Amino acid sequence: MLVSLRIISLALFFTALINVFAFAESSRVENMLALMQKNMRELSYQGSVIYSQGRHMESIKIHHDFEKGVQFERLEYLSGAPRVIIRRGDKVFFINSKVGVINLTKPLPLRSFARDYHAELGLTHARYQLKLAGNSRVAGRPVQLLTLRAKDTHRFGFRLALDQQTGLLLRSLMVDHEGNI
């Protein structure tokens, strides 16, 4: 009887310990996502993005600056018809070779090209399992890999790669409940 109580006590202790580590890891991932969102708004950077949805793929050149509390973003589409989207603060302009410059008053969400995973997806411990998934390299830079796994089958999950030095998002893959892209 005494041996079985000790075994049960040890099992409960290790279960609690595992839950503490899982919560700490999830909190660390949430902090990394919050830093990513902040840095996507407040750092200056430039690069290229390949956006793919189904069979449609776009190459986009991005230039982002943050000066005196105002974001400036220039998205130049490198495939298909030449077009550019420029955003300075709350003002958004679309430039197209056929129609010229259009001042967009409502049509685009006034946010950076990067998703706000917290706001859009309601990232909570109840809806997603947030995990560190190791280290790798993307675009020649060391990255921290994160897995955002939906706890139900009604949501998509994500595999993210954040630059280890800047916290910027370098890769985002949407996955189904089984982890398929």
Side-chain angles (χ1 to χ4, degrees), residues 29-98:
V29 171
E30 282 190 57
N31 289 340
M32 292 174 82
L33 290 171
L35 178 64
M36 175 195 76
Q37 286 307 129
K38 178 182 181 293
N39 288 349
M40 294 299 284
R41 283 187 314 270
E42 297 178 7
L43 292 181
S44 294
Y45 53 88
Q46 59 186 359
S48 296
V49 169
I50 297 174
Y51 176 77
S52 174
Q53 184 175 11
R55 295 181 186 261
H56 181 76
M57 187 178 293
E58 292 276 359
S59 298
I60 305 168
K61 188 179 196 179
I62 296 170
H63 179 85
H64 183 273
D65 281 317
F66 186 78
E67 193 173 303
K68 297 178 184 173
V70 177
Q71 289 187 75
F72 170 81
E73 205 163 55
R74 182 179 200 280
L75 307 177
E76 178 183 353
Y77 287 78
L78 303 175
S79 50
R83 59 211 185 277
V84 176
I85 295 175
I86 296 176
R87 183 170 73 95
R88 181 177 299 280
D90 292 341
K91 293 183 173 105
V92 181
F93 300 92
F94 176 74
I95 304 168
N96 180 311
S97 59
K98 291 182 182 176

Side-chain angles (χ1 to χ4, degrees), residues 13 20 27 52 110 147-148 150:
F13 172 75
V20 166
S27 294
S52 174
L110 299 177
T147 300
L148 288 61

